[in-house]
Amino acid sequence: MSTASGTGENDRDATGGVERPSTAWPLFEVFVRGKRGLNHVHVGSLHAADEEMALHNARNLYTRRNEGVSIWVVRAADITASSPDEKDPFFAPNGDKVYRHPTFYEIPDDVPHI
Amino acid sequence: MSTEEATITDEERLHQRFESTVEHDQRVEPRDWMPEGYRKTLVRQIAQHAHSEIIGMQPEGNWLTRAPSLRRKAILLAKVQDEAGHGLYLYSAAETLGVERSDLTEKLVARRQKYSSIFNYPALTFADIGVIGWLVDGAAIVNQVPLCRCSYGPYARAMIRICKEESFHQRQGYELLLTMMHGSEQQRRDVQDAVDRWWWPSLMMFGPPDGDSPNTQQSMAWGIKRHTNDQLRQKFVDMTVPQAEVLGVTLPDSGLSYNAEREHYEFSEPDWEEFHRVLAGEGPCNTQRVERRRAAHEGGSWVREAAAAHAAKQAERGRAAV
């Protein structure tokens, strides 16, 4: 896991960057559910003073044409993301578990519906 | 192996991974390692693009209170709001590269970063609103569609969103012009006059000729750019000439003719001296545009401060309640 928080979309080390003045609005990541039955999907980010304003700004910015039925906003600083530099060890356990995939199993051609 | 050698090898390995990502037409994502030049080029280009959307609200915003009907006013308002939205999508993409939106705004109002020079021309009549939609947004679409496949993921995704919305901008402009061309003699004159003024600046939107565009090759190698300036300019002319014929306007270029052999339109060179003059800050509206942006930014600072103070107070109350 990455020590610096962030979604990977807007990842900056909160302590390493230039210190922000206290009046600067924090960054929020925005997720929109396009329609019922779909997951929320990350669409971008915005600045807002607090969660409520972030939600209103997200509505105006990312759903001007009925692009969504539900919005999530979350402070970018509150997201913990995996780091691409750890890509190999982090996702490696999947590599040798081919038996998790249906194609691992050999079934005769004449067995129907499987 | 010394530590220094190990570091060099690491860097080389990262570089190879980056090159391979770009070469296989995959996307580079924010947390990936990338060459400093790639990052700088993207920040410059995305910031310039974002600034263009934000400054681009001004020539049209100027007509909001004087739109000839409620229908045109609602359309124009939606379009100007879209431009603000496009600017924010792009600032959001730029911020994934480790810059702050507030810094970019500071650089814009201090004239340390540029925006498209097209917005330094004034919108003199309501016909200009139609021509801006048709030609300026039309040229923007030709520029932007290939950017949907840009190698940098967040920029490409912002461009997909923008291109979807841009089509409305161009069509409302063309429809407005068609309406005016079916109107009075004065209205037809206004349309032709606006076309005469915006045609050449629109061609300049694609940037200097290929021979005079030193960054193009590197940008193409990095998969940021997909076509050269001249290729895109030709594409725009080929698309636009038949549209002008349907509209019944004359494009102000006596050198314009169809070359059946090349299957392209021939056209004259824009006045590149004018392009460089406007870029250097000597266009008709440069000072006005930047000063207006500065005034809006500085005038809004008390709102930003008040909202931050309110949020801090609410958060404090929330903690006290727990």
Side-chain angles (χ1 to χ4, degrees):
Chain A
M1 286 295 166
S2 155
T3 48
S5 55
T7 56
E9 280 290 282
N10 282 288
D11 180 54
R12 284 187 302 275
D13 187 334
T15 54
V18 183
E19 201 165 313
R20 288 192 206 184
S22 58
T23 52
W25 292 352
L27 191 69
F28 288 82
E29 299 293 339
V30 181
F31 302 78
V32 172
R33 185 198 294 287
K35 57 181 181 184
R36 290 172 177 279
L38 297 181
N39 288 322
H40 284 78
V41 173
H42 183 249
V43 292
S45 67
L46 49 78
H47 289 274
D50 58 19
E51 279 72 8
E52 196 187 337
M53 186 194 272
L55 213 47
H56 281 107
N57 287 357
R59 192 205 64 135
N60 288 336
L61 185 55
Y62 290 106
T63 60
R64 286 195 302 283
R65 288 178 175 78
N66 294 322
E67 290 94 335
V69 294
S70 164
I71 301 174
W72 289 347
V73 292
V74 57
R75 284 174 197 260
D78 288 344
I79 295 178
T80 306
S82 68
S83 157
D85 286 342
E86 299 160 25
K87 184 174 155 196
D88 294 339
F90 194 65
F91 295 104
N94 297 328
D96 58 357
K97 294 185 179 61
V98 284
Y99 47 85
R100 285 182 170 172
H101 297 276
T103 47
F104 178 72
Y105 302 94
E106 270 195 41
I107 307 286
D109 287 345
D110 52 0
V111 180
H113 307 306
I114 187 162
Chain B
M1 196 160 63
S2 75
T3 334
E4 199 175 318
E5 275 170 327
T7 314
I8 291 165
T9 317
D10 273 357
E11 173 115 7
E12 277 170 359
R13 187 175 52 81
L14 290 167
H15 210 284
Q16 276 167 6
R17 195 192 284 174
F18 170 83
E19 294 287 344
S20 149
T21 302
V22 170
E23 201 177 307
H24 291 92
D25 209 17
Q26 289 185 315
R27 298 290 174 264
V28 177
E29 294 296 344
R31 292 168 64 91
D32 291 339
W33 182 91
M34 59 189 85
E36 191 51 24
Y38 178 81
R39 198 188 74 85
K40 274 192 180 151
T41 301
L42 278 169
V43 169
R44 195 187 60 223
Q45 182 171 335
I46 300 173
Q48 182 170 329
H49 199 159
H51 296 330
S52 302
E53 300 282 358
I54 297 297
I55 295 287
M57 289 193 281
Q58 291 185 35
E60 291 175 294
N62 189 33
W63 282 92
L64 278 173
T65 55
R66 289 175 289 159
S69 68
L70 189 56
R71 179 175 181 271
R72 292 292 170 199
K73 186 173 183 166
I75 292 170
L76 190 56
L77 202 55
K79 181 174 189 289
V80 172
Q81 194 191 7
D82 272 355
E83 312 292 3
H86 296 176
L88 292 176
Y89 302 156
L90 288 161
Y91 285 129
S92 165
E95 288 197 298
T96 66
L97 292 159
V99 293
E100 297 273 346
R101 187 181 79 187
S102 49
D103 290 344
L104 300 178
T105 301
E106 291 300 331
K107 283 184 178 138
L108 169 65
V109 299
R111 296 193 179 204
R112 283 164 56 213
Q113 279 180 341
K114 293 194 188 311
Y115 53 88
S116 178
S117 59
I118 191 86
F119 300 115
N120 290 318
Y121 294 88
L124 299 180
T125 71
F126 200 72
D128 288 49
I129 298 304
V131 172
I132 289 172
W134 173 41
L135 295 181
V136 177
D137 290 299
I141 290 172
V142 172
N143 254 331
Q144 289 171 349
V145 167
L147 289 173
C148 296
R149 293 187 295 123
C150 167
S151 62
Y152 188 59
Y155 191 28
R157 291 192 286 274
M159 290 320 306
I160 290 171
R161 214 163 242 291
I162 289 172
C163 284
K164 274 186 196 163
E165 300 181 349
E166 207 74 62
S167 165
F168 140 62
H169 296 181
Q170 195 190 18
R171 289 173 67 107
Q172 66 81 34
Y174 195 79
E175 188 229 37
L176 191 163
L177 296 177
L178 270 178
T179 308
M180 287 188 79
M181 290 303 284
H182 289 105
S184 67
E185 193 51 46
Q186 178 65 48
Q187 284 178 310
R188 278 188 288 277
R189 270 204 304 274
D190 283 353
V191 173
Q192 184 60 57
D193 175 62
V195 169
D196 291 346
R197 284 181 287 108
W198 288 95
W199 173 250
W200 294 109
S202 299
L203 290 189
M204 294 176 196
M205 283 177 70
F206 299 94
D210 292 349
D212 192 21
S213 178
N215 300 324
T216 293
Q217 282 313 318
Q218 180 61 74
S219 276
M220 286 178 78
W222 276 332
I224 297 174
K225 241 174 131 158
R226 301 276 173 174
H227 308 282
T228 71
N229 297 351
D230 285 335
Q231 285 168 345
L232 292 169
R233 196 169 4 253
Q234 179 72 62
K235 190 163 190 240
F236 173 71
V237 172
D238 290 345
M239 271 174 44
T240 308
V241 174
Q243 294 168 352
E245 282 165 9
V246 175
L247 205 53
V249 294
T250 311
L251 297 173
D253 179 2
S254 56
L256 198 65
S257 66
Y258 189 69
N259 183 329
E261 206 174 301
R262 278 181 63 230
E263 298 189 327
H264 287 297
Y265 283 92
E266 308 280 350
F267 57 98
S268 311
E269 279 294 315
D271 178 357
W272 292 114
E273 274 182 32
E274 176 183 321
F275 173 76
H276 289 295
R277 269 201 310 278
V278 177
L279 207 60
E282 292 160 43
C285 302
N286 297 57
T287 305
Q288 181 190 335
R289 300 289 188 238
V290 174
E291 284 316 306
R292 181 92 182 266
R293 180 70 193 95
R294 177 201 295 280
H297 183 61
E298 289 174 1
S301 68
W302 71 270
V303 179
R304 293 191 293 277
E305 283 160 24
H310 175 73
K313 199 190 277 179
Q314 291 298 113
E316 193 61 42
R317 276 188 199 153
R319 272 197 294 277
V322 174

